[in-house]
């Protein structure tokens, strides 16, 4: 990788991947992987000025384009999914949905009136997302 910033960013991602692999190996070794949901998620797109790359999406972190706010997540479990094959869920999900989703999974009660909606059934069973909308931006200058 010719660009030093990008090369450093990729090196950090590779180091993180290796460290996570070691953690997963320890969890497996100790028997925890049979009763575990592993979730990795990002809250926004990457910043090109620090080596991030959102291609083919337009925009970057701190912008309203998809490259600024559409982000990947990764969910893994040995036994919690009915279809035990890799898949990509294309449903709409917002960061605030993780709390009610994890509460549903654990059997807890989600408080009324929160912004998030449980996505557990859509993730587990590869169904459509229950979310149909979310606040995309609030223009504080014009009080909109």
């Amino acid at each position: 990788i010719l660009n030093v910033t990008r090369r450093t960013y990729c090196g950090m991602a590779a180091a993180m991947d290796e460290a996570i692999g070691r953690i997963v190996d320890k969890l497996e070794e100790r028997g925890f992987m049979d009763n575990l949901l592993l979730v990795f998620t990002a809250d926004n797109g990457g910043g090109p000025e620090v080596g991030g790359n959102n291609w083919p999406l337009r925009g970057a972190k701190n912008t309203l384009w998809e490259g600024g706010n559409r982000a990947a997540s990764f969910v893994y479990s040995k036994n919690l999914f009915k279809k035990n094959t890799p898949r990509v869920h294309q449903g709409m999900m917002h960061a605030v949905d993780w709390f009610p989703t994890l509460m549903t999974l654990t059997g807890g009660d989600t408080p009324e009136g929160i912004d998030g909606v449980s996505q557990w059934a859509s993730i587990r069973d590869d169904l459509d997302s229950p979310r149909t909308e979310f606040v995309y931006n609030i223009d504080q200058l014009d009080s909109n």
Side-chain angles (χ1 to χ4, degrees):
I1 301 172
L2 296 178
N3 180 290
V4 174
T5 303
R6 179 72 180 155
R7 186 169 57 236
T8 301
Y9 184 90
C10 290
M12 291 187 298
M16 183 178 70
D17 183 55
E18 184 178 321
I20 292 167
R22 288 196 305 263
I23 292 168
V24 169
D25 288 345
K26 280 293 180 190
L27 290 168
E28 185 72 56
E29 179 182 305
R30 295 182 181 195
F32 294 128
M33 289 298 286
D34 293 334
N35 188 29
L36 178 131
L37 178 70
L38 191 61
V39 177
F40 288 94
T41 188
D43 61 349
N44 50 253
E49 72 282 359
V50 293
N53 185 337
N54 303 309
W55 186 88
L57 303 176
R58 180 179 182 184
K61 183 175 180 174
N62 297 323
T63 71
L64 295 178
W65 302 107
E66 279 192 278
N69 55 65
R70 186 174 179 183
S73 293
F74 174 88
V75 181
Y76 172 81
S77 175
K78 277 188 172 183
N79 58 8
L80 291 174
F81 300 110
K82 292 185 178 179
K83 297 178 183 176
N84 200 15
T85 57
R87 62 184 181 274
V88 175
H89 179 64
Q90 296 291 347
M92 183 187 304
M93 184 167 180
H94 190 277
V96 298
D97 295 336
W98 281 114
F99 175 65
T101 299
L102 295 173
M103 289 300 287
T104 299
L105 170 65
T106 62
D109 294 323
T110 301
E112 293 292 324
I114 66 171
D115 292 329
V117 296
S118 177
Q119 299 271 357
W120 181 240
S122 60
I123 293 170
R124 181 193 60 211
D125 300 327
D126 200 21
L127 302 173
D128 290 338
S129 171
R131 177 172 286 288
T132 58
E133 62 185 9
F134 61 86
V135 176
Y136 199 76
N137 185 43
I138 297 174
D139 184 351
Q140 295 178 349
L141 297 176
D142 295 328
S143 299
N144 292 330

